[in-house]
Amino acid sequence: LHSSTLEKLGLVTAASALCKEYGAQNGFEIEFCAKNIPRTIQPDVALCAFRIVQEGLRNARKHSGATKATVELTRVGDNLRVSVSDEGTGFDVDELSAREGLGLRSMEERASFLGGRFELYAELGKGTRIQAQVPLAPPMSRAKGHAG
Ligand SMILES: Nc1ncnc2c1ncn2[C@@H]1O[C@H](COP(=O)(O)OP(=O)(O)OP(=O)(O)O)[C@@H](O)[C@H]1O
Ligand SMILES: [Mg+2]
């Protein structure tokens, strides 16, 4: 996905299409829910959310063993909240540092780059939920050159 496509479609449409497509391609059931999302979202914020949905789904598909996942976009005050959750295997968060994955780290970096925060809840046998909350109007628009 190009960031220009994301700008044209808008975050909700693009994320919804991603869920449909990813679900169909992988035999994965994805529930998508958007609440209260403003029609226009700053491109850097939209891209951050979109990438988090992408990686969250990839992880759920690759690691959780679950056959479905839930994606939620919600406006919470001045923030955009994005979450991806599954009821799969979960994992031990304390063992994470030993692993070399880049996905979780890059989601956290994306969120904090825009002044937001990233949370990870996982419990063995119960599933995983990642959640990022990012200001809809990041304090500094220094993210202009931050493409990808
Ligand atoms: N939804 C999930 N269900 C179960 N385990 C997960 C889930 N998401 C992440 N994990 C665990 O956390 C680890 C780190 O995830 P991360 O996305 O950072 O790396 P990765 O997916 O292994 O590799 P990469 O994202 O770089 O391709 C995974 O290897 C996996 O063990
Ligand atoms: Mg990953």
Side-chain angles (χ1 to χ4, degrees):
L1 175 122
H2 277 269
S3 39
S4 63
T5 312
L6 181 55
E7 271 178 61
K8 249 176 258 160
L9 292 178
L11 175 62
V12 172
T13 305
S16 161
L18 168 70
C19 290
K20 258 197 201 128
E21 194 180 297
Y22 194 81
Q25 281 169 358
N26 295 283
F28 206 46
E29 189 185 320
I30 302 170
E31 192 179 318
F32 176 79
C33 171
K35 277 184 215 140
N36 243 345
I37 304 298
R39 198 158 303 169
T40 33
I41 295 179
Q42 285 194 21
D44 47 353
V45 175
L47 186 61
C48 172
F50 188 87
R51 292 295 184 222
I52 287 173
V53 171
Q54 257 181 332
E55 175 58 15
L57 286 176
R58 228 178 268 146
N59 278 352
R61 175 72 190 133
K62 188 157 74 159
H63 305 297
S64 80
T67 56
K68 57 182 185 177
T70 302
V71 172
E72 285 178 281
L73 297 175
T74 318
R75 178 184 184 154
V76 181
D78 295 332
N79 294 289
L80 173 66
R81 187 167 73 194
V82 48
S83 73
V84 182
S85 52
D86 66 69
E87 295 180 353
T89 58
F91 64 102
D92 187 346
V93 177
D94 294 333
E95 281 178 21
L96 255 186
S97 54
R99 304 176 198 258
E100 284 302 303
L102 290 176
L104 289 171
R105 217 172 306 159
S106 72
M107 291 192 278
E108 175 154 41
E109 271 168 21
R110 278 181 185 281
S112 62
F113 186 78
L114 295 176
R117 58 198 164 89
F118 179 77
E119 284 156 0
L120 166 66
Y121 311 94
E123 202 178 328
L124 273 174
K126 292 203 173 160
T128 302
R129 175 186 173 88
I130 53 132
Q131 177 174 303
Q133 201 152 304
V134 176
L136 282 160
M140 288 171 280
S141 64
R142 56 179 174 170
K144 271 205 161 149
H146 182 67

